[in-house]
């Protein structure tokens, strides 16, 4: 890796951690220069603006999540275990985070408004990809006779994602695993009793 690429990777790594823990608006360029030991000029050589750095950092986090989740889902042989991979990922945001600061999608969704339309758009795209992947698990489960035919995949994806995000928010706010564990256990029971054949 060239020096320029290493510098960009360092900025992205430090900025990602700051954005996901401190917040996008609350993280200043000075915070990033302090964390990296670089000047503002050095940062601007790699990112045209703080906004472009925010977008790249968010996309990097979501890509890491999607890659990890896809690997785990592909390794499973049935619908139950594939859906449980999704639940376990959300539980890990609190119990054993591989991305510090909680769910990047939740953090952006709470913080972003109409002042940063591009970041909001990237968050909407990430939500679409995530929802679509859960829907595909359900559709494939129907094809393989593991999911009841009457189950609505859009409804399942919406309930799963919104309930999990709510559980993460409550657990983070209270510095406790309790709420996310309640949510995950409830969703596992719901999947087994009402969704699977």
């Amino acid at each position: 890796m060239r020096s320029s690429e290493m510098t960009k990777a360092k900025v992205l790594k430090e900025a990602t951690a700051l954005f996901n823990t401190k917040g996008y608006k609350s993280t200043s360029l000075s915070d990033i220069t302090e964390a990296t030991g670089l000047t503002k000029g050095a940062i601007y050589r790699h990112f045209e603006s703080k906004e472009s750095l925010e977008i790249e950092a968010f996309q990097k986090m979501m890509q890491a999540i999607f890659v990890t989740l896809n690997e785990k889902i592909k390794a499973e042989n049935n619908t139950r275990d594939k859906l449980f991979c999704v639940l376990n990922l959300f539980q890990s945001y609190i119990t054993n985070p591989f991305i510090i600061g909680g769910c990047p999608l939740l953090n952006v969704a709470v913080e972003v408004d109409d002042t940063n339309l591009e970041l909001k758009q990237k968050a909407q795209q990430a939500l679409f990809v995530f929802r679509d992947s859960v829907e595909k698990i359900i559709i494939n489960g129907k094809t393989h006779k593991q999911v009841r035919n009457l189950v609505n995949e859009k409804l399942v994806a919406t309930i799963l994602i919104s309930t999990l995000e709510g559980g993460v928010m409550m657990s983070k706010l209270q510095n406790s695993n309790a709420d996310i564990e309640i949510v995950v256990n409830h969703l596992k029971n719901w999947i087994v009793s009402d969704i699977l054949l």
Side-chain angles (χ1 to χ4, degrees):
M1 191 183 282
R2 293 186 329 228
S3 174
S4 169
E5 292 169 341
M6 287 171 61
T7 301
K8 183 174 182 178
K10 180 179 182 178
V11 171
L12 204 48
K13 180 183 176 202
E14 297 297 338
T16 295
L18 285 166
F19 291 144
N20 209 46
T21 54
K22 191 173 178 181
Y24 289 79
K25 289 178 185 171
S26 297
T27 300
S28 67
L29 207 53
S30 296
D31 293 327
I32 298 167
T33 60
E34 189 176 316
T36 59
L38 299 168
T39 64
K40 289 182 182 179
I43 292 170
Y44 281 129
R45 274 195 289 281
H46 299 284
F47 302 92
E48 63 183 48
S49 64
K50 182 180 174 238
E51 290 75 22
S52 67
L53 176 55
E54 289 172 351
I55 289 163
E56 239 181 283
F58 173 71
Q59 288 181 304
K60 179 184 177 205
M61 286 185 278
M62 292 311 300
Q63 182 182 17
I65 290 165
F66 288 147
V67 166
T68 301
L69 187 57
N70 284 337
E71 286 172 0
K72 290 183 179 189
I73 288 170
K74 283 181 181 176
E76 299 299 342
N77 296 319
N78 60 64
T79 302
R80 175 191 169 275
D81 293 340
K82 289 176 187 294
L83 289 172
F84 281 17
C85 284
V86 176
L87 305 184
N88 295 336
L89 170 79
F90 276 83
Q91 191 168 13
S92 77
Y93 284 134
I94 304 301
T95 59
N96 186 26
F98 74 95
I99 292 181
I100 298 166
C103 176
L105 182 57
L106 175 63
N107 292 343
V108 166
V110 168
E111 186 174 353
V112 80
D113 56 24
D114 292 335
T115 60
N116 192 340
L117 289 175
E118 197 173 353
L119 185 58
K120 184 177 183 178
Q121 193 174 46
K122 297 299 180 192
Q124 289 170 333
Q125 289 169 354
L127 177 60
F128 175 79
V129 169
F130 189 29
R131 187 181 326 176
D132 188 56
S133 65
V134 174
E135 288 177 16
K136 282 180 181 165
I137 293 171
I138 299 298
I139 292 166
N140 289 337
K142 287 181 186 178
T143 302
H144 292 97
K145 309 282 188 248
Q146 296 174 0
V147 171
R148 299 169 194 232
N149 277 330
L150 293 177
V151 169
N152 181 318
E153 58 273 2
K154 292 189 184 314
L155 179 118
V156 171
T158 299
I159 289 174
L160 234 68
I161 294 168
S162 58
T163 308
L164 287 165
E165 293 288 15
V168 168
M169 180 272 296
M170 291 174 71
S171 283
K172 268 189 71 181
L173 196 58
Q174 299 176 90
N175 292 319
S176 164
N177 299 345
D179 290 311
I180 192 62
E181 287 175 1
I182 289 168
V183 162
V184 166
N185 288 332
H186 171 74
L187 289 173
K188 284 181 177 179
N189 290 333
W190 177 58
I191 287 165
V192 170
S193 63
D194 292 359
I195 295 170
L196 301 177
L197 280 169

